[in-house]
Amino acid sequence: MSILTSLRNTTAILFRLFITSLFLVTFAHAQKWPDKPVRMILAYPAGGNSDVAARILAPRLQEIFGQTFLVENKPGAGGMIAGELVAKAPADGHTLFFTANAPILFSPMVYGRTPYIWHRDFVAVAPVSYTPLALVTHPSVQAKTVAELIGLAKARPNQLMMACSGVASTNHLLSELLQMASGASWETIQYKGNAPASTDLLGGQVQFAFEQVSVSLPHVRSGKLRALAVATAKRVRTMPDVPTFAEAGYEGIEGETFTRSEEHTSELQSRL
């Protein structure tokens, strides 16, 4: 199963809500919307789950609204580069912030100051996808359980390398939480998004990662990665044999990433 296929189900379910929300924006504006191409600004590089979801939606939105929807990747600085671009764009509904957890929730807390205040500068349009995370390793790592991985990390402090999709991402925070809970330590390698992190993990340049289930699932099924636990309260339907962190002995290690569309606020849009 490809990343595209595994994301398609969730994206399709939420597509109707997304379209309904965009129609509400259309009715709120006095003029027809959209009356020019719409930019979909992503905080991550091509190839990750947010990028794939955006590229599934863009041609369908174009069919429905009769305008071009352009996907633009603007990674870096925990998503703040993309966020600043959208915050400074005209508040006319033609620049959408196709974002995830980090730029909205975590980066402002981690960095302290951001070039935008999300609840002031943006208004949510619609959710697009929700994706749980799994702890996965390269098959060369001599660990088939969370306990064995923690044991390796404690035996080799700060020597194992964990691929991370970016500072202040859900992946990053889950990694820090597991280190605190277990007493183990490792080196966190920061990337500009899931795609480059996954590439190095598959190549064995790093040993493990917290990855979106939608991204890691095809590689787990093909044997290119090994899943040790899912960061959910219950087991994931698509990975029924993989235990939760609670089952593996670590309560409270839970997290998922969301993708949603936001737009720069205006007086009219704030009434939605």
Side-chain angles (χ1 to χ4, degrees), residues 14 26 29 33 44 48 82-83 107-109 113 126 182 211 216 232 253 256 264 266 272:
L14 292 168
T26 301
H29 285 276
W33 180 94
Y44 303 100
S107 290
M109 292 187 291
R113 296 182 62 184
S182 66
E211 277 205 342
S216 61
T232 53
I253 309 294
E256 65 178 7
H264 188 188
S266 69
L272 294 178

Side-chain angles (χ1 to χ4, degrees), residues 15-270:
F15 181 70
R16 290 183 180 178
L17 176 58
F18 187 90
I19 292 300
T20 300
S21 300
L22 289 184
F23 272 120
L24 289 175
V25 174
T26 301
F27 290 134
H29 285 276
Q31 61 184 19
K32 180 182 177 182
W33 180 94
D35 59 359
K36 61 182 179 179
V38 178
R39 302 171 69 192
M40 300 171 67
I41 308 299
L42 270 72
Y44 303 100
N49 60 309
S50 296
D51 178 75
V52 173
R55 295 181 190 278
I56 291 172
L57 285 174
R60 299 181 67 184
L61 293 172
Q62 183 169 327
E63 292 175 8
I64 292 170
F65 291 101
Q67 276 288 354
T68 301
F69 282 73
L70 302 170
V71 177
E72 300 182 29
N73 302 89
K74 304 291 183 182
M80 292 189 294
I81 292 175
E84 182 177 14
L85 190 157
V86 176
K88 292 181 177 179
D92 59 4
H94 290 84
T95 305
L96 301 179
F97 190 14
F98 211 80
T99 185
N101 310 46
I104 299 299
L105 299 177
F106 305 139
S107 290
M109 292 187 291
V110 172
Y111 287 96
R113 296 182 62 184
T114 59
Y116 54 82
I117 299 175
W118 71 267
H119 52 80
R120 180 196 67 192
D121 295 325
F122 307 124
V123 60
V125 175
V128 176
S129 64
Y130 293 89
T131 308
L133 279 82
L135 176 62
V136 293
T137 68
H138 188 269
S140 63
V141 176
Q142 300 300 305
K144 294 185 178 180
T145 66
V146 175
E148 290 176 354
L149 181 65
I150 295 300
L152 282 178
K154 287 184 175 181
R156 301 162 53 190
N158 298 314
Q159 293 185 40
L160 295 182
M161 292 185 289
M162 195 279 293
C164 182
S165 62
V167 174
S169 63
T170 307
N171 319 54
H172 184 194
L173 299 183
L174 281 175
S175 171
E176 295 299 317
L177 185 60
L178 183 57
Q179 289 180 82
M180 292 172 61
S182 66
S185 60
W186 45 76
E187 187 73 19
T188 300
I189 310 299
Q190 301 290 354
Y191 294 83
K192 291 183 178 180
N194 290 316
S198 295
T199 297
D200 276 8
L201 178 59
L202 289 167
Q205 283 82 15
V206 292
Q207 284 73 54
F208 68 101
F210 281 89
E211 277 205 342
Q212 284 81 358
V213 168
S214 59
V215 173
S216 61
L217 181 60
H219 304 306
V220 170
R221 288 179 170 175
S222 67
K224 295 179 181 179
L225 295 177
R226 180 185 299 126
L228 305 188
V230 290
T232 53
K234 298 180 180 180
R235 294 196 180 197
V236 175
R237 178 177 57 83
T238 53
M239 290 183 172
D241 297 328
V242 180
T244 66
F245 272 96
E247 291 175 315
Y250 292 95
E251 294 277 355
I253 309 294
E254 297 180 17
E256 65 178 7
T257 60
F258 65 73
T259 300
R260 75 183 190 189
S261 177
E262 303 207 346
E263 62 176 336
H264 188 188
T265 58
S266 69
E267 181 178 352
L268 183 58
Q269 291 162 346
S270 67

